[in-house]
Structures are given as C-alpha cells and as structure tokens.
Amino acid sequence: MSGNGLTYSEQGGEAAPELAQEAAPTVTPSTPAAFGLFSSDTKKNEDLKQMLESSKDSAKLDAMKRIVGMIAKGKNASELFPAVVKNVASKNIEIKKLVYVYLMRYAEEQQDLALLSISTFQRALKDPNQLIRASALRVLSSIRVPIIVPIMMLAIKEASSDLSPYVRKNAAHAIQKLYSLDPDQKEMLIEVIEKLLKDRSTLVAGSVVMAFEEVCPDRIDLIHKNYRKLCNLLVDVEEWGQVVIIHMLTRYARTQFVSPWKVMVDEYSENNFYESDEEQKEKDQKLKTTYTMDPDHRLLLRNTKPLLQSRNAAVVMAVAQLYWHLAPKSEAGIVSKSLVRLLRSNREVQYIVLQNIATMSIQRKGMFEPYLKSFYVRSTDPTMIKTLKLEILTNLANEANISTLLREFQTYVKSQDKQFAAATIQAIGRCATNITEVTDTCLNGLVCLLSNRDEIVVAESVVVIKKLLQTQPAHHGEIIKHMAKLLDNITVPVARASILWLIGEYCERVPKIAPDVLRKTAKSFTNEDDLVKLQILNLGAKLYLTNSKQTKLLTQYVLNLGKYDQSYDIRDRTRFIRQLIVPNEKSGALSKYAKKIFLAQKPAPLLESPFKDRDHFQLGTLSHTLNSRATGYLELSDWPEVAPDPSVRNVDVAESAKEWTGILGKPKKEKPTEKFYSESEEEEDESASTSSSGKCLESTAFSLPGKLCLQNCLVHK
Amino acid sequence: MCFQQKMIHSLFLINCSGDIFLEKHWKSVVSQSVCDYFFEAQEKAIDVENVPPVISTPHHYLISIYRDKIFFVSVIQTEVPPLFVIEFLHRVADTFQDYFGECSETAIKDNVVIVYELLEEMLDNGFPLATESNILKELIKPPTILRSVVNSITGSSNVGDTLPTGQLSNIPWRRAGVKYTNNEAYFDVIEEIDAIIDKSGSTVFAEIQGVIDSCIKLSGMPDLSLSFMNPRLLDDVSFHPCIRFKRWESERVLSFIPPDGNFRLISYRVSSQNLVAIPVYVKHMISFKENTSSGRFDVTIGPKQNMGKTVEGVVMTVHMPKAVLNMNLTATQGSYTFDPVTKVLTWDVGKITPQKLPNLKGIVNLQSGAPKPEENPSLNIQFKIQQLAISGLKVNRLDMYGEKYKPFKGVKYITKAGKFQVRT
C-alpha cells in the first residue's frame, strides 16, 4: 500500500509537467497522479490550474481526473475551485460530470464562487432532453448554498410537473435535499409531495415516499387517497423504493385498521393455510367471529406477498416485518421460508436476518420449528453467526425436539471456538430450565463437562450448574461435593466464586466438606481475585452462623484478612459482615436476624434470551439491531380500538376512470396483451401505467404526466 | 445544519491494513475520524469475519460489509433498515467486480475516476438511483484495454454519450437498441448441496440450493418463457425483477424480458421432502495420542449416489486444532499442503475414480506438552459434477416471442458442493 502510494506520487511529480506540455493523456490501468501528494505542494496545484485553463479538452479532462483522485483520497482540493468552476459549461460530457462531482463536494465551502455555476444549471433545466434536465436538477439541488434556496424551490416545483417521470423522480429526491438545507420550506415542500404522491409512475413512487418519510412522516392524511394506488403499484416499483414504501405502509396500516389478533380464530395448521386460498379463509373467519378484515388491509397483505420472492434481501425483510406487524397470526408463518432462504446469503445479511428471527422465534416458536435444522451451526461460520444460530435453536427447543438438539449441542460444546462452546453451555442451561423433562439429563451432562480439559468450558459449566441447582436445590449434595473437589484446579474467578457461593448456600447439605473448603480458601485468600474474596467472606459468614463451633476461628481469621485488604469493597463487606454476625454490645437489632438474612431462600435466576424484549422495536430496523432507539426512529403505533373511517381511502371512481381511459384507451387497444407485469385485477386503469411492453411504454410514460401537468396548470391558475 | 438525513451519508473503503483508500460523501463531508470507531471494533473482533456489521457511535451509525479483503464502511445518521444498506453495499461491490473484473484495492485505485462516476450515479442524496448494471453500462462505459488506448489517442471519454433509455422505461433492467449478429441464450443450472454429515456418516442436515445463471445475447426486445419438466421441485424461489410473478403462480412458467448480458435469473431451494442424494462419502480415522504428542490421520473419499457421473474438482480443507505443529502425510492421489500458521490442511484431490479411491494418511505432530485436542476437526469438502442437476430439475423448453430471428439456445447443468461439512 505505502509502496503504491510512493510510485504514484513519483509518477505524478514527474509526469505532470510533461502532461501539461504535451497534453498527454492517461493510460490505464493506472490513472497516474490520482494519488499524488499534491495538497502539501502548491506548485503541483499550479500545474493543475494551468491544465484546467488549457484550450485542449484532454488536458482539462486529465486535470479533472487527478482532482477527483485527490477528492477520493480525502485530500483538500478546494483552492482549485475558481479554476474548476469555469469548466462547468464545458461541452465535453465527461469533464462536465467531473466538474459536477467537484462542485457537490466543495460548493458548501465556497458559496460565493459556487454561485457562478448556477446560471448554467438554470439553463440546463430548460433543456429539451429529459436526462439533462434531470441531472441539472440533481446537481443544483446538491449544492448546499442557502442563498439559492428560492431558485431550488422554483426548480423543484417546475420539475414536479415535468412531462418526464424521470425528471419528476429527481424532483422528489431534490425535496429532501432542500428540506435539509432549509427546513423553513417545509410547507411548500409538502405541497409538492402531495402533488407527487398522486403521480402514477412507478419511477416516482419510491422516491416521493422517501421524501414523505423524511419531510412529513406524520401527515398520514396525505396517504389516504393514494393508499390503494401505492399497494397496486408496489410490485412494479424498483426494489429500493419497495422497501421504503412497505415500511411507510406498515406504519400507516397500524393507525388505520383494527387489530386482527384480538379475536380467537381457530388455529389453522400450517399446511391447511398453504393450500386453502385466502378468500375461503376469510369466509371462514367471518363465520366464526365478528371480526372482518378491512379490504384495504387485505389488499396490502395480498400485494406484498409476491415480494417475498424478491432477490433483494431488504425487500424480503421488509415484507416479513410487515406480515409480522400486520397479518393475522395464522398467516405470518408464510414469511419464515423466505427468511430462511436469506440465510444462504453473505454474513452481513445472515447477521441481521438471524437477529430478527431470534426475536420472532421467542414469541411464535411455531413459525420456525419446521426449519430447525437450517439453524445448525457449521464450524466455518463466524462466531457472531454461530451464537445467533444457537440463540434461535434454544428458543425453538421443546419437548419433541430437545433430544435431537442436545445431541447437536454436544458437538458444539467440543468446538475449538471456545467462546462458542461457552455459549452452548449457557444454552444447555436454558433448555434445562425451560423443559423440565430434560433438567436432569442436562445437569448430568454439565457435570461431565466439569472434567473437561478446557478451563473456559469448566468455568461456564460451573456457573450454569450453579444457576440450575438454585432452581431446584432438592438433592444435589453429590454434585456440590464434586464441585468442591474441583476448586483445587479451577482458576477462573467466576467459576471459583460460583462454587464457593454454592457451598455456602447449601452448607448444611455438605456439613463435612464446607468447613474444609473454608480452611483451604482462607490459606489462599490473599492471592484470590476480588470476586472470589467476597465469596470467601460470604462462605465464612454462612458457616459461622450454622456451624460456629468448627468455623468460628477460621471465619475470624478471614475477616481479619478482609479488614486490611487493598480493596474498598472487601473492607466494606468485611465490616458489614462482622457487625452482623459477631454479637457484641453495640450490634443492633439486625444481628438477631443474621441467619435469616444470609440464609434466606433466594429466588432462582431466570435464564432467558437476550432477545426477549427486543420486540418493542419494529423488526428490520436499525433500532432493533442495536437494541436501542436510533435517531429518527418512528414508533409503530398500537392498533386503534375502533377503525378510523375507511371511506377516506375511496377515490372518486367516476372521475379517475374518465380521466385515465381517455388517455390510455389508445395504447391499450393497440396492445391488449401486454399487461404481463400488471398485478391488479380490479383496477384496470392502474395496470396500463405499469404494463411493461417496450412499445406502448413510451406513449404511456409521456402521455400520463402530460395530462397531469395540464391539470396542475389549471389548478394553479 | 442540525437536520439529519436518512440513508447513506458517506462511504469509506478500507483495506485489511486499516488504510482508508477511498472516501465518497453524498451530503456534507464526514471526517475520516469516524472510522476510528470501526477500527476499535475491528481490533476487538477475533478475525475480520467477526467485525460486527452494525456499529453505533455517538453521532453516527456505521454499517459495513467485508468483501474481497475490503471493508465498505457506510456512515448513517438516522434510522434505516440495515439490510437496505447492506444489500446496497454488496450491489456496489458487485458493480466493481462487473466493471473491473475484480473488486480489489488495486482495481479500485486504478479506476478511481470510474469508481467515482459510478458511485455518483448509484446513489443520489443517499438514496439508490441506478443500480442495474445494464443502465450503468450505458451511462459509464467499463474500461477495456482497447478503449483506454483509443481514449488516450483521441482524447475521448469513458462517459457514454448516448443517453440511457432503460432508466426511463418500465423495464429498467434492459437497455434499448440491443443488436447482435449471433443471437444466443444460455442458461446454467447450478445446484449446490449443503450438508452436515456426522461422525458415523449419517446425514444430519442436507439441502439443495440452486440458481439459474443466464447469459442472454439477443437483439431487440425478446420476450422469453422458460418451462421445466418438473417445476414442482422448486420449493422456494426468488426472482430477478424481470420475471412475471403472476405467470409463475398460475402456470409455473418463467416468463420475462431479459436484461442484456449475464445475470442471475432465479435462485431456488428444492423442497425438503425430497431426500438429498449425497454424492460422496468420507471414511476417516483421526486420533490424537496423549503421551507421544502425535496423532494419526487417515481419510478416504469415495463416490456414492452420483448418477453415473464423475465426481471431480474434489478439494478437502481442514482447520486443524491449534496444537498441531505439522503433518506428515502421503496422498495416493493429488497433493496436499499444510499451513503451520493458519493450521489449514488442504488436499487437492481432483477426480475420483471408483477403482482406486483417493486416500490421505500419515502422522500428525502435536506441540509437545500441550494437552491433546478435545475435538476432531471437521472436514470441508468441495466437489463438482458436470452435466447433472442433483435434484433432477430439467428445463423443458425455451420459447421466444416478440422477435423474428431464431436464437441459439443452450442449457448446462452442474452440481457442486455448497457448505458441505463432515464432522469427525
């Protein structure tokens, strides 16, 4: 890397003058000088300035390429601004593009000079070519100079009524840029959003919903009239737009429809559901309950379902979360198959999907049970993937599959990846508490692990056994004895502390061993970790209370050691314990209850999933992944008790029919069979705009907005 | 400006040694120092695979992917679906791969201007704009040696001077005005077997995943439909956006106007009811002895259920336990290497001939004094079988509508090992 940098800079240094004279061009595979160390050397920048002022395009282009190289490297090229901005009107399209790149990077810093370029863009906005109009708008709106806000506003307004849907798409993007530059424009921008939301082009839909989400996500009223249209267009919108629209519609639906979960519909078995068609099912539901799903609610579910087949993981996840948050519980199962499919993807996708499955599998085990084996761990998986899979396997464990799972876990425990092995032991512990049938088996298995060679494994086992014993302390004297023996060999502090705690807690079950353990640990007290020291004190106190005859002196010895320990905590604890257990005239009322305090029945720890309370975040969001509220996270509202008026979504059919058939009649007659891509059955008028024949496309694409534009003009007048 | 924006704010490309070699900002500039949080996380992780893809920092969120020894680190300011960003970053890496033949640091540095132009087109204000390779190639021509020589003489540019029409249409994946003298359509049906085989040789888990990769060079606007002899085999399918979903739902026919060039038509999973035929078996004897600091290693691979086809391209990789110092083996076929640093044993077997089964055996030297490894390593096997789709999937016919010429059509089948692991 550094070697490369060196050669580049040498090349750049030597080649530059030559290049300037001969205007010699670049030769791939290297764009020399792209990584030159210019910024430190103003002379080199002089060369670049000269090149930019040369009359030859090739020299200019070469200079621009080198400047872009500097920008890419994070070097400062701002002092070239005047020289570069002169070329904004260049005829050469590549020079122009690179100048744009430069402008977007530095306009903010050189606002006055940037103004020089504005007139060029204003001219381009009127260009007959739609692509030039679009790119002019793109650059103009990317120049973050507050003074041009009115110009931008005007350009956006004009572009939003442009004939070309591509220009309108760019107008939607520009809305967000202007909003971030000057939030005071909000009201005017909302007007533009409102207009663009009515747009029927699939190109525009995703971008305008994005703008809506950014500028005015709370203005749900703007969506009502466009809801059905968006649902119907969805399949034909580009993938990125789909994700944004689906997330928006999820929020919308949660405010407009009543919950499909409240009613107890007889559970449909998974198979049954796949076979029966939806109408039939809806009918069944009607018979059994009074709940009927709003047809618009159903429309959304029906139209998003095909997108589970998308190649784009983000789209699949978006649909999955929509079903999770909106579909009747019996239907949410259809997303599992697609989510499991995503597990074949690269590790980053796996990571996010597994996290979401982990949350889902806690609440609704049934969804993923059929795919249990898809979560089996491979030794080549990265550790973070392994632990997530393990988490899911643990969530899915039940009486039926636990024996298979435990066998699988046995393999994992032996893994060379010790962090993972430790996680597996915890998982076994969780299975053991959740499924009482296997508690003993698990406990025995864990005890066997105590003789494992690896200290981390042993330590983790001790910790888990401790928790398990606590949940059912009935008859485990043997195990405690076994663990007491281990104390000589185990060095991991947590494990030692756990063993000591266990012996202290159940000292009455091992009356012979407990004092001896105290004797041994008293000897090693000074060399122990703080964690262990605290437990030695604890053990001493408990023994003092139950068996003071044998252990009085030992405990006092330990307390004395504790009194002069280096750690505050230990000195504090020692003082506290001494006051509590050793009776003297000053000791308060509490020491009477010392035994009750120390040897009270303690509640068993709950072994639960770390994903347990993640479900209050909407699935598939950044907040869910981080398990903390991310900036700008929009809470998913609870279902309303009573559904708001559904008629707000009605579009005046007569009007729209008249409006659209007039324009669309012609292409439709020409090519009646071209509607392959169209999904909507009931709304014929929609389908024409989404139909994708190469031939009829141009006519529709251009005639549609034409009409819209006319209307808008009328409205404005 | 206090207002925060959604979606992707900036992108940093970082190599394995931690140098930031490219940065691109779509909004205001974010200082490189934000990457320090990433480096911190990277240091904590055991290896590159374990760097968390999502990192939270005080003012930003970092979402990253790791591809071809490069970290693509994107800076996000507000809530966004993480998969949206991850999927996009992979699309960027795919595009580099497509343009430069490899997605490497050198390739990116050599083509930094094209990279910048691409990023500019792919994202507008942090929101994906043009991600279809067909459109991008119209906007920005990929570099070729010939073109760069021509460019250098004539001073012409890489930027397309024709305006892309695909982006404006409802078939954004296909460019307009495609013309070929030889019209061809090729489909590769590639199936991969994912499996976990346990110690005793029985199958713990097995599944077939397949894809159909296409190379379509057809003039004009061809409308294709591809049908299968046994479409019921396809249990779960994901489609390229060009496929008409309704036709598939009702008739189980893939009907589409294809993009031009190479693309993935579908990926699918074969329904789990079907038993998966496992084409190879592995006999293994791996043991470590406590006292002598050595162990034995003996592995034989043989063919099984391979429908009379040859199993070839067999490679076995084993991550040996840390205590292994060296291995002294003899292979009856192919060659083996053992890397004492990474502890990876690779055995390149080649073709399996049933008459003489390939075998690798010998002595394993352990670090003296170290405890013997607890677990035997798992064996990862790769193989290939030509002319066979292990699920039995068969293409029935390909029809073309909308154009008059007669295209040349071809279908190729191949079966490979996916994540194929044998526990020992």
Side-chain angles (χ1 to χ4, degrees):
Chain A
M1 162 69 211
S2 64
N4 263 349
L6 215 69
T7 39
Y8 279 130
S9 70
E10 276 166 19
Q11 238 175 341
E14 288 160 20
E18 284 170 36
L19 285 175
Q21 286 158 17
E22 304 168 16
T26 48
V27 179
T28 5
S30 74
T31 315
F35 292 93
L37 302 161
F38 296 114
S39 50
S40 56
D41 193 344
T42 39
K43 268 188 190 164
K44 302 253 169 64
N45 281 344
E46 288 304 316
D47 293 339
L48 284 172
K49 275 182 199 162
Q50 270 175 27
M51 286 164 78
L52 284 169
E53 265 150 44
S54 120
S55 56
K56 284 179 190 154
D57 273 358
S58 51
K60 285 183 181 176
L61 185 58
D62 195 45
M64 280 317 296
K65 281 184 174 170
R66 284 162 56 183
I67 294 169
V68 168
M70 287 163 72
I71 297 175
K73 203 59 184 113
K75 299 218 163 76
N76 186 5
S78 60
E79 62 158 22
L80 291 163
F81 201 97
V84 172
V85 82
K86 276 182 209 154
N87 291 300
V88 71
S90 169
K91 289 275 182 299
N92 182 311
I93 194 158
E94 187 165 18
I95 294 180
K96 205 171 185 158
K97 276 200 164 184
L98 296 178
V99 173
Y100 288 178
V101 169
Y102 184 90
L103 265 179
M104 290 190 211
R105 171 69 181 77
Y106 287 113
E108 210 170 357
E109 296 170 22
Q110 311 252 348
Q111 307 215 344
D112 293 343
L113 285 168
L115 291 178
L116 294 174
S117 62
I118 302 298
S119 62
T120 321
F121 298 123
Q122 278 179 304
R123 226 174 302 131
L125 282 171
K126 302 265 189 299
D127 198 281
N129 185 314
Q130 48 175 337
L131 282 149
I132 292 182
R133 290 201 300 279
S135 78
L137 181 63
R138 254 182 85 188
V139 184
L140 180 68
S141 55
S142 300
I143 298 175
R144 290 170 293 266
V145 180
I147 209 164
I148 63 162
V149 164
I151 300 177
M152 273 166 78
M153 192 66 224
L154 200 69
I156 291 173
K157 271 191 176 166
E158 257 171 43
S160 68
S161 330
D162 199 286
L163 288 177
S164 150
Y166 183 63
V167 175
R168 299 201 301 277
K169 184 189 179 71
N170 278 283
H173 285 216
I175 291 173
Q176 307 161 46
K177 299 184 211 168
L178 180 52
Y179 181 60
S180 71
L181 187 61
D182 182 8
D184 292 343
Q185 304 292 321
K186 187 168 175 179
E187 287 315 310
M188 292 233 265
L189 288 173
I190 291 178
E191 273 173 39
V192 183
I193 290 176
E194 198 174 356
K195 181 158 87 186
L196 286 174
L197 274 171
K198 293 200 182 96
D199 204 299
R200 281 167 186 262
S201 162
T202 48
L203 267 179
V204 183
S207 305
V208 67
V209 170
M210 188 66 223
F212 169 84
E213 289 281 80
E214 200 138 297
V215 179
C216 52
D218 44 343
R219 287 289 302 275
I220 302 190
D221 56 297
L222 298 180
I223 302 299
H224 290 322
K225 290 267 184 256
N226 301 300
Y227 173 81
R228 288 175 198 163
K229 183 197 72 191
L230 284 173
C231 286
N232 285 319
L233 285 185
L234 197 56
V235 157
D236 293 317
V237 173
E238 32 82 42
E239 339 168 59
W240 312 106
Q242 284 172 346
V243 178
V244 178
I245 297 177
I246 292 172
H247 274 273
M248 189 275 287
L249 290 178
T250 310
R251 277 194 309 116
Y252 177 86
R254 282 291 278 260
T255 61
Q256 299 300 316
F257 307 125
V258 287
S259 167
W261 302 337
K262 280 186 187 159
V263 281
M264 285 306 293
V265 185
D266 284 8
E267 279 295 312
Y268 289 83
S269 71
E270 296 265 302
N271 285 341
N272 196 354
F273 169 68
Y274 286 130
E275 283 152 23
S276 72
D277 76 334
E278 276 159 21
E279 271 72 23
Q280 182 62 39
K281 194 170 145 43
E282 267 179 299
K283 228 180 265 170
D284 286 354
Q285 277 186 343
K286 267 184 214 172
L287 290 176
K288 282 175 192 159
T289 66
T290 52
Y291 169 77
T292 39
M293 187 181 275
D294 187 310
D296 286 329
H297 190 172
R298 175 52 70 196
L299 177 75
L300 178 60
L301 293 177
R302 190 170 56 221
N303 284 6
T304 45
K305 195 176 142 198
L307 299 181
L308 284 173
Q309 245 85 34
S310 170
R311 63 170 171 173
N312 188 320
V315 176
V316 177
M317 188 67 233
V319 179
Q321 68 83 27
L322 181 132
Y323 263 76
W324 176 261
H325 293 292
L326 299 181
K329 296 209 161 132
S330 55
E331 288 174 40
I334 62 162
V335 304
S336 356
K337 200 196 272 183
S338 310
L339 286 178
V340 171
R341 182 184 74 227
L342 297 184
L343 298 182
R344 279 278 294 180
S345 196
N346 34 59
R347 78 175 175 111
E348 295 88 7
V349 173
Q350 283 185 44
Y351 175 73
I352 307 287
V353 173
L354 285 171
Q355 278 191 329
N356 283 288
I357 293 180
T359 305
M360 292 181 176
S361 60
I362 290 175
Q363 283 191 24
R364 304 186 201 161
K365 279 189 184 191
M367 273 176 78
F368 292 96
E369 248 172 45
Y371 304 97
L372 185 74
K373 289 192 171 175
S374 304
F375 302 107
Y376 278 12
V377 171
R378 289 183 168 76
S379 60
T380 40
D381 288 332
T383 310
M384 60 178 186
I385 300 291
K386 283 184 192 161
T387 26
L388 278 170
K389 282 186 173 173
L390 186 68
E391 177 63 40
I392 294 168
L393 288 175
T394 319
N395 290 341
L396 294 179
N398 59 20
E399 286 85 356
N401 59 25
I402 185 69
S403 54
T404 335
L405 266 186
L406 284 179
R407 211 172 315 131
E408 184 69 14
F409 283 173
Q410 273 170 25
T411 324
Y412 301 166
V413 167
K414 284 187 249 156
S415 166
Q416 292 174 32
D417 183 343
K418 290 306 166 200
Q419 203 187 330
F420 173 60
T424 309
I425 293 167
Q426 294 219 357
I428 296 175
R430 257 174 62 202
C431 291
T433 40
N434 296 340
I435 302 162
T436 42
E437 280 91 335
V438 293
T439 312
D440 285 334
T441 330
C442 290
L443 204 52
N444 289 337
L446 289 172
V447 171
C448 292
L449 285 179
L450 291 177
S451 46
N452 194 293
R453 203 176 292 274
D454 192 273
E455 197 162 58
I456 304 170
V457 171
V458 177
E460 201 66 40
S461 310
V462 168
V463 175
V464 174
I465 291 176
K466 183 205 116 188
K467 288 182 183 166
L468 278 181
L469 288 183
Q470 224 181 324
T471 54
Q472 38 167 250
H475 44 269
H476 293 302
E478 279 306 310
I479 296 177
I480 297 172
K481 269 181 214 161
H482 184 87
M483 290 173 74
K485 276 182 213 152
L486 280 175
L487 203 57
D488 296 338
N489 300 321
I490 295 183
T491 55
V492 179
V494 202
R496 287 181 74 81
S498 291
I499 297 178
L500 289 172
W501 184 87
L502 263 181
I503 294 172
E505 189 65 21
Y506 304 113
C507 54
E508 282 161 289
R509 291 212 181 79
V510 281
K512 289 199 180 136
I513 294 174
D516 194 50
V517 170
L518 183 62
R519 179 186 63 82
K520 277 188 192 161
T521 47
K523 266 203 268 180
S524 60
F525 186 90
T526 43
N527 300 323
E528 298 284 2
D529 189 273
D530 282 2
L531 205 60
V532 184
K533 283 179 183 168
L534 289 176
Q535 287 310 325
I536 298 175
L537 290 168
N538 205 356
L539 172 68
K542 284 173 181 168
L543 283 174
Y544 186 93
L545 292 168
T546 52
N547 183 4
S548 61
K549 209 197 250 172
Q550 272 186 303
T551 56
K552 193 172 178 182
L553 280 173
L554 262 177
T555 309
Q556 272 174 355
Y557 173 67
V558 173
L559 287 176
N560 282 333
L561 286 176
K563 189 176 176 182
Y564 300 106
D565 198 88
Q566 282 185 322
S567 156
Y568 283 106
D569 269 354
I570 290 169
R571 292 201 300 270
D572 278 354
R573 180 70 64 91
T574 312
R575 202 170 303 132
F576 163 72
I577 289 178
R578 193 191 292 274
Q579 288 301 319
L580 209 53
I581 61 170
V582 186
N584 58 17
E585 65 277 16
K586 269 195 226 159
S587 66
L590 270 181
S591 57
K592 260 188 266 171
Y593 303 106
K595 193 166 180 181
K596 274 192 181 158
I597 291 171
F598 274 102
L599 291 166
Q601 192 89 92
K602 291 162 188 84
L606 274 177
L607 299 174
E608 50 186 24
S609 162
F611 283 84
K612 190 154 184 305
D613 41 357
R614 277 210 193 180
D615 57 322
H616 59 266
F617 291 112
Q618 187 177 355
L619 290 185
T621 59
L622 184 61
S623 306
H624 175 268
T625 296
L626 295 168
N627 197 18
S628 73
R629 241 187 119 84
T631 337
Y633 174 74
L634 296 167
E635 199 83 46
L636 206 56
S637 71
D638 276 332
W639 299 99
E641 282 300 315
V642 182
D645 181 16
S647 67
V648 289
R649 283 182 295 275
N650 290 348
V651 185
D652 194 341
V653 181
E655 189 191 297
S656 67
K658 197 175 66 193
E659 186 181 316
W660 296 106
T661 46
I663 315 158
L664 298 171
K666 210 172 150 199
K668 248 159 89 193
K669 262 174 228 157
E670 276 172 11
K671 289 260 164 190
T673 48
E674 294 286 355
K675 298 190 302 168
F676 302 121
Y677 290 87
S678 135
E679 296 293 325
S680 59
E681 292 127 46
E682 63 269 67
E683 270 136 301
E684 294 286 67
D685 52 345
E686 307 261 334
S687 58
S689 67
T690 63
S691 92
S692 307
S693 123
K695 282 175 190 163
C696 80
L697 159 124
E698 257 175 306
S699 50
T700 46
F702 289 105
S703 57
L704 283 181
K707 183 74 178 184
L708 257 185
C709 173
L710 274 179
Q711 279 180 334
N712 286 325
C713 290
L714 291 175
V715 170
H716 282 296
K717 275 167 193 166
Chain B
M1 199 90 280
C2 62
F3 256 81
Q4 278 155 347
Q5 296 236 327
K6 295 211 176 196
M7 299 300 164
I8 299 160
H9 203 113
S10 303
L11 175 70
F12 294 97
L13 301 191
I14 301 174
N15 65 14
C16 275
S17 35
D19 301 313
I20 303 170
F21 65 91
L22 187 110
E23 61 178 70
K24 166 89 183 125
H25 309 275
W26 282 272
K27 297 159 187 178
S28 304
V29 177
V30 176
S31 155
Q32 280 197 355
S33 62
V34 75
C35 293
D36 292 345
Y37 294 100
F38 176 79
F39 294 133
E40 209 175 285
Q42 193 183 4
E43 249 168 58
K44 266 188 224 152
I46 325 159
D47 51 36
V48 283
E49 291 270 279
N50 275 306
V51 180
V54 182
I55 300 168
S56 173
T57 79
H59 299 291
H60 302 92
Y61 304 100
L62 304 178
I63 299 185
S64 63
I65 64 161
Y66 180 67
R67 271 276 291 263
D68 305 297
K69 300 197 175 128
I70 301 172
F71 283 104
F72 291 68
V73 182
S74 63
V75 183
I76 311 290
Q77 277 195 326
T78 54
E79 173 63 51
V80 60
L83 273 184
F84 187 101
V85 181
I86 288 170
E87 186 78 31
F88 175 79
L89 293 177
H90 275 291
R91 215 57 81 76
V92 170
D94 289 341
T95 308
F96 291 166
Q97 174 90 39
D98 190 25
Y99 263 75
F100 313 129
E102 53 166 0
C103 173
S104 67
E105 186 184 347
T106 342
I108 291 173
K109 279 179 167 177
D110 286 348
N111 296 292
V112 70
V113 175
I114 295 185
V115 165
Y116 239 66
E117 286 167 346
L118 281 173
L119 291 175
E120 196 67 58
E121 291 299 338
M122 292 183 83
L123 214 58
D124 179 24
N125 194 38
F127 191 77
L129 190 63
T131 50
E132 283 296 335
S133 113
N134 260 249
I135 293 177
L136 286 171
K137 283 193 175 151
E138 274 187 89
L139 289 166
I140 301 147
K141 291 189 191 121
T144 60
I145 295 184
L146 182 65
R147 176 149 344 99
S148 58
V149 172
V150 172
N151 283 357
S152 63
I153 295 162
T154 60
S156 68
S157 71
N158 287 324
V159 175
D161 39 10
T162 51
L163 296 163
T165 41
Q167 194 160 14
L168 306 174
S169 78
N170 280 336
I171 342 176
W173 54 85
R174 187 171 179 87
R175 63 191 177 95
V178 183
K179 250 202 155 92
Y180 288 101
T181 39
N182 295 324
N183 288 292
E184 309 162 312
Y186 297 105
F187 297 91
D188 293 354
V189 179
I190 305 166
E191 296 197 335
E192 292 192 346
I193 305 174
D194 284 359
I196 302 176
I197 312 284
D198 77 1
K199 214 180 260 200
S200 58
S202 55
T203 311
V204 178
F205 167 79
E207 189 175 63
I208 302 171
Q209 307 263 1
V211 296
I212 300 185
D213 281 343
S214 321
C215 174
I216 310 264
K217 294 181 172 169
L218 297 174
S219 316
M221 272 292 165
D223 195 330
L224 304 178
S225 45
L226 184 74
S227 61
F228 300 97
M229 305 282 264
N230 39 9
R232 296 238 160 259
L233 277 176
L234 307 181
D235 181 33
D236 181 35
V237 194
S238 78
F239 298 125
H240 189 276
C242 70
I243 291 171
R244 298 177 179 104
F245 184 70
K246 271 276 142 80
R247 280 287 298 279
W248 173 256
E249 281 290 271
S250 55
E251 300 166 51
R252 299 276 139 177
V253 167
L254 295 176
S255 155
F256 55 99
I257 294 176
D260 183 44
N262 295 310
F263 67 101
R264 176 154 296 173
L265 186 64
I266 61 169
S267 9
Y268 59 88
R269 189 170 56 201
V270 174
S271 66
S272 40
Q273 278 88 20
N274 295 45
L275 279 180
V276 178
I278 305 288
V280 295
Y281 69 87
V282 180
K283 273 203 272 181
H284 49 82
M285 233 293 297
I286 303 172
S287 63
F288 301 108
K289 276 199 209 97
E290 186 73 53
N291 310 322
T292 55
S293 326
S294 73
R296 283 179 54 202
F297 186 94
D298 186 347
V299 172
T300 311
I301 303 182
K304 192 179 145 186
Q305 296 175 301
N306 51 3
M307 324 283 172
K309 302 275 202 283
T310 338
V311 182
E312 52 186 33
V314 180
V315 179
M316 182 182 81
T317 42
V318 190
H319 289 260
M320 298 302 285
K322 291 207 178 59
V324 173
L325 275 186
N326 219 331
M327 302 185 77
N328 248 327
L329 308 172
T330 358
T332 60
Q333 184 184 332
S335 60
Y336 82 95
T337 52
F338 177 73
D339 183 339
V341 183
T342 56
K343 314 285 183 200
V344 176
L345 167 72
T346 314
W347 178 27
D348 191 345
V349 185
K351 207 185 278 179
I352 300 184
T353 37
Q355 291 77 32
K356 195 169 162 287
L357 297 179
N359 169 273
L360 179 70
K361 84 174 170 189
I363 305 290
V364 183
N365 296 319
L366 298 176
Q367 211 173 327
S368 58
K372 79 173 181 120
E374 203 65 39
E375 185 203 32
N376 282 341
S378 3
L379 318 172
N380 296 297
I381 314 277
Q382 291 163 45
F383 55 81
K384 251 194 303 202
I385 306 171
Q386 303 279 5
Q387 304 303 332
L388 172 75
I390 196 91
S391 69
L393 186 75
K394 267 216 144 54
V395 171
N396 183 20
R397 55 181 298 153
L398 175 74
D399 296 307
M400 187 180 75
Y401 307 96
E403 294 290 333
K404 297 239 157 50
Y405 55 83
K406 267 216 158 326
F408 182 81
K409 301 176 267 192
V411 180
K412 201 168 85 184
Y413 299 92
I414 187 165
T415 296
K416 289 192 218 172
K419 295 172 180 167
F420 195 99
Q421 200 159 78
V422 181
R423 293 177 178 165
T424 60

